[in-house]
Amino acid sequence: MTDARLGSIGVRAVTISATGRSGKLSLSTISDPVPAIGEVLVNVAAAGINHADLLQRAGHYPAPAGAPDWPGLEISGEITRVGPGVSGWRAGDRVVALLDGGGYADQVTVRATQLLPAPRSLDLIDAAALPEAMCTAWDNLVTVGGLRAGEWVLLHGGSGGVGTTAIQIAKALGARVAATAGSPERAAQCADLGADLPIDYREQDFVELVREASGGAGADVVLDVVGAAYLVDNVRALARGGRLVVIGLQRGRRGELDLGTLMAKRATVTGTTLRSRPAEEKAAVVAAVREHVWPMVDDGRVRPVVHARLPLAEAQRAHELLESGEVFGKVLLVP
């Protein structure tokens, strides 16, 4: 990687050495990152792994312009250097950060507007499980989905990093939560996090269960990571005035939508991403999370759910673990 902000050689990073279905990750040495105007340098305590990283390794989700071309969308750590034009942060501050990329490394630079103070009540390593999942969950449940107290929300992928966080945030908001997972045991774990209606999607019909639980109304908000395979049933599950928010395409990009059903329900379908948004939009999401979600973390209503911690050098194994479908919560890489 060539970048005017980089100095001497000496920092480890996990780079993509081969893309495709069997894409490979390798531990490499990169130039020392140097913070630009408005950025800080952070020594990484841990980096969270997300499905977007798996897509990037496969060659399907390139980094935004200007971002490092290796994976990593969230980290925790300690600021070691503050760049020009940064106020409110100083060396020694413990932080978590939402990144454009490059979190699988010993050090990262990040815009100060995408920093959050690491909660004092949490282990700094485990705090790396927070920023991407919380920004995604809050923005899509509330800003996009308009979720309010007393409403029903259906969360697909309840056992994932975003799902486990979304369950807790929705409950803290006073919503009623239905969450799908891939086994009775994983559904029970969703219930332990606060889901009112845990659903084993392999054996149970989530449309009928949500309708029954909601007195026939359906879900006011559906947060979906599955994509095309669930499109028809997601619309069927919506209440009148319901909002379907698609944030993932794990089972397809193209589906058939019955516009008549959508119109009759006066429902909406929205698709969103976070990584590709402009810096000012990410800053707004982070600011909203700091205002509304961070108090939930401070008082224990929302906690990170960490399945495993693995060394940075074992990033390939960490990706394989996430791909296995056995993870509940987040996998973290620790330099």
Side-chain angles (χ1 to χ4, degrees):
M1 177 181 176
T2 302
D3 191 322
R5 297 176 296 168
L6 300 180
S8 60
I9 301 295
V11 173
R12 296 179 309 156
V14 174
T15 58
I16 300 172
S17 54
T19 57
R21 295 186 64 182
S22 58
K24 298 297 182 183
L25 300 174
S26 300
L27 192 62
S28 305
T29 302
I30 63 167
S31 300
D32 293 349
V34 178
I37 295 172
E39 294 183 339
V40 302
L41 179 66
V42 179
N43 271 353
V44 176
I49 294 180
N50 294 279
H51 279 281
D53 303 338
L54 309 185
L55 292 173
Q56 184 173 349
R57 192 194 81 216
H60 301 313
Y61 198 9
D69 55 10
W70 56 91
L73 299 178
E74 59 186 343
I75 57 98
S76 62
E78 184 175 305
I79 295 175
T80 59
R81 184 175 171 184
V82 175
V86 174
S87 60
W89 301 98
R90 62 184 181 181
D93 285 346
R94 290 157 53 98
V95 297
V96 300
L98 179 71
L99 305 177
D100 298 345
Y104 293 10
D106 291 323
Q107 294 183 331
V108 299
T109 56
V110 57
R111 299 183 195 96
T113 54
Q114 291 171 213
L115 293 173
L116 291 158
R120 294 184 178 182
S121 60
L122 297 181
D123 179 274
L124 185 59
I125 290 176
D126 287 351
L130 296 176
E132 195 276 341
M134 288 196 170
C135 288
T136 298
W138 175 265
D139 190 54
N140 290 289
L141 286 176
V142 179
T143 306
V144 178
L147 183 65
R148 297 181 291 272
E151 291 190 321
W152 271 97
V153 58
L154 170 60
L155 305 172
H156 292 300
S159 60
V162 172
T164 53
T165 302
I167 290 170
Q168 297 177 78
I169 290 176
K171 285 300 295 181
L173 291 171
R176 304 293 302 278
V177 179
T180 65
S183 70
E185 295 77 18
R186 294 165 77 80
Q189 287 177 289
C190 291
D192 290 341
L193 288 176
D196 302 280
L197 178 61
I199 300 169
D200 173 8
Y201 68 81
R202 297 183 189 276
E203 300 294 336
Q204 297 176 295
D205 184 334
F206 66 80
V207 176
E208 294 306 317
L209 288 174
V210 169
R211 284 178 173 171
E212 180 181 351
S214 61
D220 301 286
V221 177
V222 176
L223 187 65
D224 180 46
V225 299
V226 176
Y230 274 12
L231 180 59
V232 171
D233 283 342
N234 280 336
V235 173
R236 289 178 57 223
L238 284 176
R240 294 191 182 278
R243 292 84 71 191
L244 167 59
V245 184
V246 181
I247 62 171
L249 302 171
Q250 293 178 13
R251 291 179 58 190
R253 302 167 58 93
R254 299 179 182 275
E256 185 172 295
L257 179 62
D258 185 338
L259 294 176
T261 301
L262 196 70
M263 294 167 68
K265 292 189 173 188
R266 302 188 305 279
T268 61
V269 179
T270 306
T272 75
T273 62
L274 182 58
R275 186 183 192 186
S276 60
R277 294 193 199 180
E280 58 272 17
E281 292 187 16
K282 290 182 181 177
V285 172
V286 170
V289 166
R290 184 168 186 174
E291 178 181 357
H292 298 288
V293 184
W294 240 229
M296 301 176 185
V297 178
D298 288 338
D299 65 19
R301 286 177 291 167
V302 179
R303 312 293 286 179
V305 178
V306 177
H307 181 91
R309 300 175 172 185
L310 294 175
L312 185 67
E314 296 184 20
Q316 185 77 35
R317 185 163 75 90
H319 273 215
E320 292 167 357
L321 178 60
L322 188 58
E323 289 171 325
S324 73
E326 298 176 0
V327 172
F328 189 87
K330 297 298 285 280
V331 176
L332 304 179
L333 291 177
V334 183

